Amino acid sequence: MKLNRKLLTGIFFLQLAVSAKAQQVLTLEQAIDLGLKNNFDIRLARNDAEVAANDNAYAIFAFAPRLNGTASNIWTNTATKQEFGNGTKRDTSGIKNRQLQAAVNLNWTLFDGLKMFATRQRFQAIEILGELSVKNQVENSIANIINSYYNISQQKQQLRALAEQMSISDERVKLSDAKFQTGLAPKTDWLQAKVDYNAQRANWLRQQTAIEQSKASLNQLLGIADGNLNYDVNDSIPVNLAISYGEILENLPNTNPQMQVARQNLEISRLVLKERKGEFYPVIAFNSAYNFSQSNASAAINQFSPIFNQNRGFNYGFSATVPIFNGLNAHRALKQAKLDIAYQQLSVDNTQSQVNLLLTNAFKDYEYYKMALTLEQESVDLARENTMVALERFRQGVSTTLEVKEAQQSLELASYRLIQARYNTKVAETELHRLKGSLLK
């Protein structure tokens, strides 16, 4: 039994070493780079921005004249029979006629209450909104990638802590077995130690599954569709412990992507209001046309009808369209535009309030977990020393297996709290940088 347990333990740690060497390490920088290229949310936001940029690229033609051409070619076959009062009859059946018509019309709006200028500015503002939306999505995606990446790191740290617990439990099993074989302890101590070891072994296997699931979540953020999990991540979680509240708060309204998007939406609403106001003014336009028509018949219907007829000409002039009454649609649209401005202003204020709340809570979390890091590190050191002392006392026969188990559980909980505190500090740090808009450099 002892030989088999030693063999299994050796195989277990050998598998760990071989697996670590076989997997290529994916750094955080590489993960972010993959995410910026492949993340679906970022690609969707970029597509929307490209649509807005495309619309703005053609918006300059709102000032250009509209030129349209029309053409038609009509063939007719006429059969006419006539009988007059003097008894005369006429049959003009089989007369064929071909009519060709063509025209080129030009319409150039010279004044529309400055609506076309507001429309041009609105397209420019929408393009800027698209760029800001991409930046906002990039910041959010980078934050999600960082949190997901370091979630795997903390899962690996939990796995390492479980391996340490398994090593202690394995030692308990050996000592309990030796004491039982020599009659110094009951068999129940060995059985309980073996049960605890098996439970930690099951937790270790479950933790392995959790790591694989966390990698799958990271793959989705990176846009990796093939489900490749054959990579490793750095198991250390570096944290910046020198972030100040004033540093994050400085110029926040101009750096936070959410607030920038909200303010840009407000600007677009103001430009829409300018467009609606322009609908109350007359529209003055320059109009011009060139017309051509030609008719060619196989025979004359009568002596006064032409066999061949051709007309062409050019005209131009100005027109004014004055809005008098259109069911108050212009007034309705104007009121709706004003209401939309009020809505967007409330959205700006609401976004600012939400960002301030998120910033306050994130910084409080950051400060708390910084202090917790120091406390939990001390707790782990004390719990590890206590476990080693309890294990040695158990080896010398001056304590019970229950004392070792309690010390071991204290070490397990302290290790878990320390790993969680370090990860949560990183999450809070990332959230502060996301709110600041400084993750994308």
Side-chain angles (χ1 to χ4, degrees), residues 13-14 17 38 41 53 65 95 136 153 219 232 287 301 320 323 330-331 353 356 362 370 387 394 409 412 414 416 433:
F13 285 106
L14 180 62
N38 303 322
D41 292 329
I95 296 179
N136 183 40
S153 299
N219 281 356
D232 202 358
N287 302 286
I301 298 177
H331 290 80
S353 175
N356 289 337
K370 277 202 311 181
T387 301
F394 181 65
Q409 288 177 340
E412 181 179 358
Y416 176 81
H433 285 299

Side-chain angles (χ1 to χ4, degrees), residues 1-3 5-6 169-194 394 401:
M1 181 181 297
K2 292 182 181 179
L3 180 60
R5 185 166 60 247
K6 289 181 179 180
S169 293
D170 183 61
E171 186 65 22
R172 277 180 58 201
V173 170
K174 294 177 182 178
L175 293 175
S176 298
D177 184 43
K179 288 177 178 287
F180 169 64
Q181 297 294 340
T182 57
L184 297 177
K187 187 177 182 180
T188 54
D189 287 354
W190 176 81
L191 292 174
Q192 185 61 52
K194 187 64 177 176
F394 181 65
T401 185

Side-chain angles (χ1 to χ4, degrees), residues 202-422:
N203 289 337
W204 187 89
L205 294 174
R206 181 69 186 89
Q207 190 64 30
Q208 281 279 55
T209 302
I211 291 175
E212 297 302 304
Q213 292 172 336
S214 298
K215 285 184 179 181
S217 298
L218 179 61
N219 281 356
Q220 196 279 328
L221 292 173
L222 302 184
I224 300 176
D226 58 4
N228 180 24
L229 302 176
N230 189 28
Y231 63 84
D232 202 358
V233 302
N234 294 318
D235 57 1
S236 61
I237 304 178
V239 292
N240 182 4
L241 303 178
I243 300 177
S244 66
Y245 188 75
E247 173 188 347
I248 300 297
L249 195 61
E250 182 182 2
N251 201 29
L252 183 66
N254 295 323
T255 59
N256 178 266
Q258 292 173 271
M259 296 180 66
Q260 289 177 322
V261 168
R263 286 201 307 272
Q264 192 64 22
N265 279 320
L266 176 60
E267 178 63 22
I268 292 173
S269 296
R270 289 170 177 165
L271 292 172
V272 171
L273 178 62
K274 288 184 178 181
E275 290 182 282
R276 300 291 81 84
K277 288 181 176 179
E279 294 175 355
F280 288 87
Y281 290 87
V283 177
I284 299 174
F286 172 77
N287 302 286
S288 180
Y290 176 81
N291 298 285
F292 173 84
S293 65
Q294 185 183 89
S295 176
N296 194 355
S298 61
I301 298 177
N302 55 59
Q303 60 181 345
F304 301 105
S305 63
I307 297 177
F308 177 81
N309 185 32
Q310 178 175 296
N311 295 296
R312 57 185 172 182
F314 175 77
N315 62 73
Y316 60 92
F318 296 90
S319 65
T321 303
V322 182
I324 298 176
F325 181 76
N326 64 347
L328 299 180
N329 283 330
H331 290 80
R332 177 192 57 80
L334 179 65
K335 185 175 181 180
Q336 183 175 337
K338 291 180 178 179
L339 290 173
D340 188 58
I341 289 178
Y343 174 84
Q344 294 298 340
Q345 183 61 61
L346 286 173
S347 180
V348 170
D349 297 338
N350 183 47
T351 301
Q352 184 172 358
S353 175
Q354 290 178 342
V355 169
N356 289 337
L357 176 62
L358 291 172
L359 178 62
T360 300
N361 290 338
F363 193 77
K364 287 181 179 179
D365 285 341
Y366 174 73
E367 287 292 299
Y368 164 73
Y369 287 118
K370 277 202 311 181
M371 293 184 292
L373 269 177
T374 303
L375 292 175
E376 298 302 345
Q377 183 61 62
E378 181 181 0
S379 296
V380 167
D381 294 338
L382 294 173
R384 182 173 287 114
E385 183 179 357
N386 183 49
T387 301
M388 294 300 103
V389 170
L391 197 61
E392 183 61 29
R393 284 166 52 84
F394 181 65
R395 180 181 290 108
Q396 295 176 3
V398 295
S399 69
T400 64
T401 185
L402 181 61
E403 180 181 337
V404 178
K405 182 177 180 179
E406 290 178 349
Q408 188 178 356
Q409 288 177 340
S410 296
L411 175 59
E412 181 179 358
L413 293 175
S415 298
Y416 176 81
R417 292 196 305 269
L418 174 62
I419 294 170
Q420 286 295 306
R422 185 179 294 112

